[in-house]
PDB file of all heavy atoms in Angstrom:
ATOM      1  N   LEU B 392      19.215  -1.228  -4.721  1.00  0.00           N
ATOM      2  CA  LEU B 392      19.693  -2.492  -4.165  1.00  0.00           C
ATOM      3  C   LEU B 392      20.377  -2.243  -2.838  1.00  0.00           C
ATOM      4  O   LEU B 392      20.160  -2.956  -1.862  1.00  0.00           O
ATOM      5  CB  LEU B 392      20.677  -3.167  -5.127  1.00  0.00           C
ATOM      6  CG  LEU B 392      21.388  -4.388  -4.545  1.00  0.00           C
ATOM      7  CD1 LEU B 392      20.409  -5.520  -4.312  1.00  0.00           C
ATOM      8  CD2 LEU B 392      22.497  -4.875  -5.460  1.00  0.00           C
ATOM      9  N   ALA B 393      21.204  -1.181  -2.796  1.00  0.00           N
ATOM     10  CA  ALA B 393      21.938  -0.876  -1.568  1.00  0.00           C
ATOM     11  C   ALA B 393      20.970  -0.665  -0.408  1.00  0.00           C
ATOM     12  O   ALA B 393      21.141  -1.224   0.676  1.00  0.00           O
ATOM     13  CB  ALA B 393      22.792   0.378  -1.773  1.00  0.00           C
ATOM     14  N   PHE B 394      19.935   0.110  -0.660  1.00  0.00           N
ATOM     15  CA  PHE B 394      18.959   0.388   0.397  1.00  0.00           C
ATOM     16  C   PHE B 394      18.285  -0.884   0.865  1.00  0.00           C
ATOM     17  O   PHE B 394      18.191  -1.156   2.066  1.00  0.00           O
ATOM     18  CB  PHE B 394      17.922   1.387  -0.117  1.00  0.00           C
ATOM     19  CG  PHE B 394      16.911   1.773   0.908  1.00  0.00           C
ATOM     20  CD1 PHE B 394      17.184   2.765   1.825  1.00  0.00           C
ATOM     21  CD2 PHE B 394      15.680   1.136   0.974  1.00  0.00           C
ATOM     22  CE1 PHE B 394      16.261   3.118   2.792  1.00  0.00           C
ATOM     23  CE2 PHE B 394      14.752   1.476   1.926  1.00  0.00           C
ATOM     24  CZ  PHE B 394      15.040   2.471   2.838  1.00  0.00           C
ATOM     25  N   GLU B 395      17.806  -1.688  -0.096  1.00  0.00           N
ATOM     26  CA  GLU B 395      17.089  -2.908   0.290  1.00  0.00           C
ATOM     27  C   GLU B 395      18.001  -3.901   0.999  1.00  0.00           C
ATOM     28  O   GLU B 395      17.592  -4.566   1.941  1.00  0.00           O
ATOM     29  CB  GLU B 395      16.455  -3.551  -0.952  1.00  0.00           C
ATOM     30  CG  GLU B 395      15.331  -2.708  -1.530  1.00  0.00           C
ATOM     31  CD  GLU B 395      14.532  -3.451  -2.587  1.00  0.00           C
ATOM     32  OE1 GLU B 395      15.086  -3.744  -3.660  1.00  0.00           O
ATOM     33  OE2 GLU B 395      13.360  -3.728  -2.326  1.00  0.00           O
ATOM     34  N   PHE B 396      19.246  -3.963   0.560  1.00  0.00           N
ATOM     35  CA  PHE B 396      20.216  -4.865   1.186  1.00  0.00           C
ATOM     36  C   PHE B 396      20.411  -4.479   2.644  1.00  0.00           C
ATOM     37  O   PHE B 396      20.358  -5.324   3.540  1.00  0.00           O
ATOM     38  CB  PHE B 396      21.554  -4.755   0.428  1.00  0.00           C
ATOM     39  CG  PHE B 396      22.558  -5.816   0.779  1.00  0.00           C
ATOM     40  CD1 PHE B 396      22.786  -6.866  -0.099  1.00  0.00           C
ATOM     41  CD2 PHE B 396      23.289  -5.769   1.958  1.00  0.00           C
ATOM     42  CE1 PHE B 396      23.729  -7.841   0.200  1.00  0.00           C
ATOM     43  CE2 PHE B 396      24.216  -6.739   2.266  1.00  0.00           C
ATOM     44  CZ  PHE B 396      24.439  -7.785   1.390  1.00  0.00           C
ATOM     45  N   VAL B 397      20.617  -3.184   2.859  1.00  0.00           N
ATOM     46  CA  VAL B 397      20.868  -2.730   4.226  1.00  0.00           C
ATOM     47  C   VAL B 397      19.621  -2.905   5.091  1.00  0.00           C
ATOM     48  O   VAL B 397      19.710  -3.287   6.263  1.00  0.00           O
ATOM     49  CB  VAL B 397      21.347  -1.261   4.222  1.00  0.00           C
ATOM     50  CG1 VAL B 397      21.543  -0.751   5.625  1.00  0.00           C
ATOM     51  CG2 VAL B 397      22.654  -1.155   3.469  1.00  0.00           C
ATOM     52  N   GLN B 398      18.445  -2.678   4.505  1.00  0.00           N
ATOM     53  CA  GLN B 398      17.202  -2.910   5.242  1.00  0.00           C
ATOM     54  C   GLN B 398      17.084  -4.379   5.633  1.00  0.00           C
ATOM     55  O   GLN B 398      16.635  -4.711   6.734  1.00  0.00           O
ATOM     56  CB  GLN B 398      15.983  -2.536   4.384  1.00  0.00           C
ATOM     57  CG  GLN B 398      15.798  -1.060   4.159  1.00  0.00           C
ATOM     58  CD  GLN B 398      15.216  -0.352   5.363  1.00  0.00           C
ATOM     59  OE1 GLN B 398      14.675  -0.972   6.259  1.00  0.00           O
ATOM     60  NE2 GLN B 398      15.330   0.942   5.411  1.00  0.00           N
ATOM     61  N   PHE B 399      17.472  -5.253   4.717  1.00  0.00           N
ATOM     62  CA  PHE B 399      17.447  -6.684   4.995  1.00  0.00           C
ATOM     63  C   PHE B 399      18.344  -7.007   6.198  1.00  0.00           C
ATOM     64  O   PHE B 399      17.946  -7.724   7.117  1.00  0.00           O
ATOM     65  CB  PHE B 399      17.901  -7.461   3.755  1.00  0.00           C
ATOM     66  CG  PHE B 399      18.182  -8.917   3.997  1.00  0.00           C
ATOM     67  CD1 PHE B 399      17.151  -9.836   4.030  1.00  0.00           C
ATOM     68  CD2 PHE B 399      19.479  -9.373   4.193  1.00  0.00           C
ATOM     69  CE1 PHE B 399      17.405 -11.185   4.253  1.00  0.00           C
ATOM     70  CE2 PHE B 399      19.737 -10.715   4.423  1.00  0.00           C
ATOM     71  CZ  PHE B 399      18.700 -11.623   4.454  1.00  0.00           C
ATOM     72  N   CYS B 400      19.550  -6.444   6.185  1.00  0.00           N
ATOM     73  CA  CYS B 400      20.481  -6.685   7.295  1.00  0.00           C
ATOM     74  C   CYS B 400      19.904  -6.155   8.601  1.00  0.00           C
ATOM     75  O   CYS B 400      19.982  -6.806   9.640  1.00  0.00           O
ATOM     76  CB  CYS B 400      21.826  -6.018   7.034  1.00  0.00           C
ATOM     77  SG  CYS B 400      22.747  -6.746   5.684  1.00  0.00           S
ATOM     78  N   LEU B 401      19.320  -4.959   8.542  1.00  0.00           N
ATOM     79  CA  LEU B 401      18.758  -4.341   9.741  1.00  0.00           C
ATOM     80  C   LEU B 401      17.633  -5.196  10.322  1.00  0.00           C
ATOM     81  O   LEU B 401      17.570  -5.429  11.521  1.00  0.00           O
ATOM     82  CB  LEU B 401      18.170  -2.977   9.387  1.00  0.00           C
ATOM     83  CG  LEU B 401      19.012  -1.758   9.711  1.00  0.00           C
ATOM     84  CD1 LEU B 401      18.277  -0.514   9.270  1.00  0.00           C
ATOM     85  CD2 LEU B 401      19.324  -1.705  11.184  1.00  0.00           C
ATOM     86  N   LEU B 402      16.768  -5.642   9.418  1.00  0.00           N
ATOM     87  CA  LEU B 402      15.606  -6.413   9.855  1.00  0.00           C
ATOM     88  C   LEU B 402      16.016  -7.700  10.532  1.00  0.00           C
ATOM     89  O   LEU B 402      15.382  -8.176  11.464  1.00  0.00           O
ATOM     90  CB  LEU B 402      14.752  -6.722   8.622  1.00  0.00           C
ATOM     91  CG  LEU B 402      13.342  -7.213   8.840  1.00  0.00           C
ATOM     92  CD1 LEU B 402      12.531  -6.149   9.522  1.00  0.00           C
ATOM     93  CD2 LEU B 402      12.710  -7.564   7.507  1.00  0.00           C
ATOM     94  N   ASN B 403      17.108  -8.294  10.046  1.00  0.00           N
ATOM     95  CA  ASN B 403      17.510  -9.616  10.508  1.00  0.00           C
ATOM     96  C   ASN B 403      18.804  -9.616  11.308  1.00  0.00           C
ATOM     97  O   ASN B 403      19.434 -10.659  11.451  1.00  0.00           O
ATOM     98  CB  ASN B 403      17.688 -10.545   9.303  1.00  0.00           C
ATOM     99  CG  ASN B 403      16.420 -10.701   8.507  1.00  0.00           C
ATOM    100  OD1 ASN B 403      15.480 -11.325   8.964  1.00  0.00           O
ATOM    101  ND2 ASN B 403      16.393 -10.125   7.325  1.00  0.00           N
ATOM    102  N   ALA B 404      19.185  -8.437  11.826  1.00  0.00           N
ATOM    103  CA  ALA B 404      20.525  -8.306  12.421  1.00  0.00           C
ATOM    104  C   ALA B 404      20.835  -9.365  13.472  1.00  0.00           C
ATOM    105  O   ALA B 404      21.902  -9.983  13.438  1.00  0.00           O
ATOM    106  CB  ALA B 404      20.697  -6.919  13.007  1.00  0.00           C
ATOM    107  N   SER B 405      19.908  -9.597  14.394  1.00  0.00           N
ATOM    108  CA  SER B 405      20.260 -10.529  15.475  1.00  0.00           C
ATOM    109  C   SER B 405      20.400 -11.954  14.962  1.00  0.00           C
ATOM    110  O   SER B 405      21.314 -12.679  15.363  1.00  0.00           O
ATOM    111  CB  SER B 405      19.240 -10.459  16.605  1.00  0.00           C
ATOM    112  OG  SER B 405      17.952 -10.465  16.067  1.00  0.00           O
ATOM    113  N   VAL B 406      19.527 -12.345  14.041  1.00  0.00           N
ATOM    114  CA  VAL B 406      19.631 -13.692  13.489  1.00  0.00           C
ATOM    115  C   VAL B 406      20.913 -13.853  12.680  1.00  0.00           C
ATOM    116  O   VAL B 406      21.603 -14.871  12.769  1.00  0.00           O
ATOM    117  CB  VAL B 406      18.408 -13.994  12.583  1.00  0.00           C
ATOM    118  CG1 VAL B 406      18.533 -15.372  11.978  1.00  0.00           C
ATOM    119  CG2 VAL B 406      17.130 -13.865  13.362  1.00  0.00           C
ATOM    120  N   LEU B 407      21.239 -12.828  11.899  1.00  0.00           N
ATOM    121  CA  LEU B 407      22.450 -12.902  11.079  1.00  0.00           C
ATOM    122  C   LEU B 407      23.687 -13.025  11.958  1.00  0.00           C
ATOM    123  O   LEU B 407      24.601 -13.794  11.663  1.00  0.00           O
ATOM    124  CB  LEU B 407      22.566 -11.665  10.185  1.00  0.00           C
ATOM    125  CG  LEU B 407      21.603 -11.597   9.013  1.00  0.00           C
ATOM    126  CD1 LEU B 407      21.650 -10.228   8.353  1.00  0.00           C
ATOM    127  CD2 LEU B 407      21.921 -12.666   7.981  1.00  0.00           C
ATOM    128  N   GLN B 408      23.684 -12.262  13.045  1.00  0.00           N
ATOM    129  CA  GLN B 408      24.841 -12.329  13.947  1.00  0.00           C
ATOM    130  C   GLN B 408      25.030 -13.731  14.496  1.00  0.00           C
ATOM    131  O   GLN B 408      26.133 -14.230  14.615  1.00  0.00           O
ATOM    132  CB  GLN B 408      24.636 -11.389  15.136  1.00  0.00           C
ATOM    133  CG  GLN B 408      24.984  -9.957  14.845  1.00  0.00           C
ATOM    134  CD  GLN B 408      24.842  -9.113  16.092  1.00  0.00           C
ATOM    135  OE1 GLN B 408      25.243  -9.501  17.170  1.00  0.00           O
ATOM    136  NE2 GLN B 408      24.262  -7.964  15.940  1.00  0.00           N
ATOM    137  N   ASP B 409      23.885 -14.351  14.853  1.00  0.00           N
ATOM    138  CA  ASP B 409      23.988 -15.661  15.492  1.00  0.00           C
ATOM    139  C   ASP B 409      24.235 -16.790  14.518  1.00  0.00           C
ATOM    140  O   ASP B 409      24.982 -17.716  14.814  1.00  0.00           O
ATOM    141  CB  ASP B 409      22.686 -15.972  16.249  1.00  0.00           C
ATOM    142  CG  ASP B 409      22.503 -15.056  17.443  1.00  0.00           C
ATOM    143  OD1 ASP B 409      23.528 -14.553  17.936  1.00  0.00           O
ATOM    144  OD2 ASP B 409      21.353 -14.839  17.855  1.00  0.00           O
ATOM    145  N   ARG B 410      23.559 -16.747  13.372  1.00  0.00           N
ATOM    146  CA  ARG B 410      23.535 -17.948  12.549  1.00  0.00           C
ATOM    147  C   ARG B 410      24.318 -17.884  11.251  1.00  0.00           C
ATOM    148  O   ARG B 410      24.582 -18.904  10.649  1.00  0.00           O
ATOM    149  CB  ARG B 410      22.078 -18.310  12.228  1.00  0.00           C
ATOM    150  CG  ARG B 410      21.371 -18.955  13.399  1.00  0.00           C
ATOM    151  CD  ARG B 410      19.910 -19.191  13.126  1.00  0.00           C
ATOM    152  NE  ARG B 410      19.647 -19.545  11.746  1.00  0.00           N
ATOM    153  CZ  ARG B 410      18.458 -19.424  11.170  1.00  0.00           C
ATOM    154  NH1 ARG B 410      17.450 -18.939  11.855  1.00  0.00           N
ATOM    155  NH2 ARG B 410      18.284 -19.765   9.908  1.00  0.00           N
TER     156      ARG B 410
END
Side-chain angles (χ1 to χ4, degrees):
Chain B
L392 171 67
F394 182 83
E395 292 191 293
F396 192 104
V397 177
Q398 289 283 344
F399 168 82
C400 292
L401 260 179
L402 194 64
N403 300 290
S405 45
V406 178
L407 287 170
Q408 278 184 43
D409 292 335
R410 283 175 35 200

